[in-house]
Short mmCIF file of all heavy atoms in Angstrom, two decimals:
data_model
loop_
_atom_site.label_atom_id
_atom_site.label_comp_id
_atom_site.label_asym_id
_atom_site.label_seq_id
_atom_site.Cartn_x
_atom_site.Cartn_y
_atom_site.Cartn_z
N GLN O 1279 3.04 3.82 9.55
CA GLN O 1279 1.83 2.96 9.42
C GLN O 1279 1.87 1.84 10.45
O GLN O 1279 0.88 1.15 10.63
CB GLN O 1279 1.80 2.34 8.00
CG GLN O 1279 1.56 3.33 6.89
CD GLN O 1279 1.71 2.71 5.53
OE1 GLN O 1279 2.54 3.04 4.76
NE2 GLN O 1279 0.84 1.72 5.22
N PHE O 1310 1.23 5.15 1.70
CA PHE O 1310 1.12 4.28 0.48
C PHE O 1310 2.02 3.03 0.59
O PHE O 1310 2.43 2.48 -0.42
CB PHE O 1310 1.63 5.16 -0.74
CG PHE O 1310 0.82 6.43 -0.89
CD1 PHE O 1310 1.41 7.64 -0.70
CD2 PHE O 1310 -0.53 6.39 -1.18
CE1 PHE O 1310 0.72 8.82 -0.77
CE2 PHE O 1310 -1.29 7.56 -1.25
CZ PHE O 1310 -0.69 8.78 -1.07
N GLY O 1311 2.25 2.58 1.83
CA GLY O 1311 3.09 1.41 2.05
C GLY O 1311 4.49 1.77 2.44
O GLY O 1311 5.21 0.99 3.07
N GLU O 1314 5.15 1.44 6.15
CA GLU O 1314 4.74 0.23 6.84
C GLU O 1314 5.93 -0.28 7.60
O GLU O 1314 5.86 -0.60 8.81
CB GLU O 1314 4.23 -0.85 5.87
CG GLU O 1314 3.79 -2.09 6.59
CD GLU O 1314 3.11 -3.12 5.69
OE1 GLU O 1314 2.58 -2.79 4.60
OE2 GLU O 1314 3.07 -4.32 6.09
N ALA O 1422 6.81 -2.22 0.77
CA ALA O 1422 5.37 -2.14 0.48
C ALA O 1422 5.04 -0.93 -0.34
O ALA O 1422 5.55 0.16 -0.10
CB ALA O 1422 4.59 -2.12 1.77
N PHE O 1423 4.20 -1.12 -1.34
CA PHE O 1423 3.64 0.01 -2.11
C PHE O 1423 2.26 -0.46 -2.62
O PHE O 1423 2.22 -1.48 -3.29
CB PHE O 1423 4.56 0.41 -3.27
CG PHE O 1423 4.21 1.78 -3.85
CD1 PHE O 1423 5.24 2.67 -4.17
CD2 PHE O 1423 2.88 2.17 -4.13
CE1 PHE O 1423 4.93 3.93 -4.66
CE2 PHE O 1423 2.61 3.41 -4.63
CZ PHE O 1423 3.60 4.32 -4.86
N ARG O 1424 1.30 0.33 -2.28
CA ARG O 1424 -0.10 0.09 -2.69
C ARG O 1424 -0.25 -1.01 -3.71
O ARG O 1424 0.17 -0.92 -4.87
CB ARG O 1424 -0.64 1.38 -3.24
CG ARG O 1424 -2.13 1.56 -3.09
CD ARG O 1424 -2.46 2.99 -3.40
NE ARG O 1424 -3.86 3.33 -3.02
CZ ARG O 1424 -4.33 4.57 -3.04
NH1 ARG O 1424 -3.62 5.58 -3.44
NH2 ARG O 1424 -5.60 4.82 -2.69
N GLY O 1425 -0.84 -2.11 -3.25
CA GLY O 1425 -1.00 -3.32 -4.13
C GLY O 1425 -0.05 -4.43 -3.70
O GLY O 1425 -0.37 -5.64 -3.88
N PHE O 1426 1.15 -4.03 -3.09
CA PHE O 1426 1.99 -5.01 -2.35
C PHE O 1426 2.35 -6.22 -3.17
O PHE O 1426 2.11 -7.35 -2.78
CB PHE O 1426 1.21 -5.41 -1.10
CG PHE O 1426 2.05 -5.86 0.04
CD1 PHE O 1426 2.76 -4.93 0.81
CD2 PHE O 1426 2.14 -7.20 0.40
CE1 PHE O 1426 3.52 -5.36 1.93
CE2 PHE O 1426 2.91 -7.63 1.51
CZ PHE O 1426 3.60 -6.69 2.22
N SER O 1589 -1.19 -0.50 9.64
CA SER O 1589 -2.37 -0.08 8.82
C SER O 1589 -1.96 -0.31 7.36
O SER O 1589 -1.18 0.45 6.80
CB SER O 1589 -2.73 1.38 9.07
OG SER O 1589 -3.34 1.44 10.32
N ALA O 1590 -2.44 -1.42 6.81
CA ALA O 1590 -2.00 -1.86 5.50
C ALA O 1590 -2.96 -2.91 4.96
O ALA O 1590 -3.97 -3.25 5.62
CB ALA O 1590 -0.59 -2.44 5.63
N ALA O 1591 -2.61 -3.46 3.77
CA ALA O 1591 -3.33 -4.54 3.17
C ALA O 1591 -4.82 -4.15 2.91
O ALA O 1591 -5.71 -5.00 2.79
CB ALA O 1591 -3.28 -5.83 4.03
N SER O 1592 -5.06 -2.84 2.86
CA SER O 1592 -6.44 -2.34 2.69
C SER O 1592 -7.41 -2.76 3.75
O SER O 1592 -8.63 -2.62 3.66
CB SER O 1592 -7.01 -2.68 1.30
OG SER O 1592 -6.15 -2.25 0.30
N GLU O 1794 -6.32 -0.35 -1.89
CA GLU O 1794 -5.35 -0.76 -2.93
C GLU O 1794 -5.98 -1.19 -4.28
O GLU O 1794 -5.41 -0.89 -5.34
CB GLU O 1794 -4.48 -1.86 -2.44
CG GLU O 1794 -3.58 -1.49 -1.26
CD GLU O 1794 -2.96 -2.69 -0.59
OE1 GLU O 1794 -3.75 -3.45 0.11
OE2 GLU O 1794 -1.80 -2.94 -0.80
MO1 MOS D 3246 -0.46 -0.79 1.80
S1 MOS D 3246 1.00 -1.28 0.41
O1 MOS D 3246 -0.66 -2.45 2.26
O2 MOS D 3246 0.43 -0.10 3.01
#
Side-chain angles (χ1 to χ4, degrees):
Q1279 293 174 242
F1310 307 112
E1314 181 174 338
F1423 195 135
R1424 209 167 191 171
F1426 206 76
S1589 286
S1592 305
E1794 293 167 290

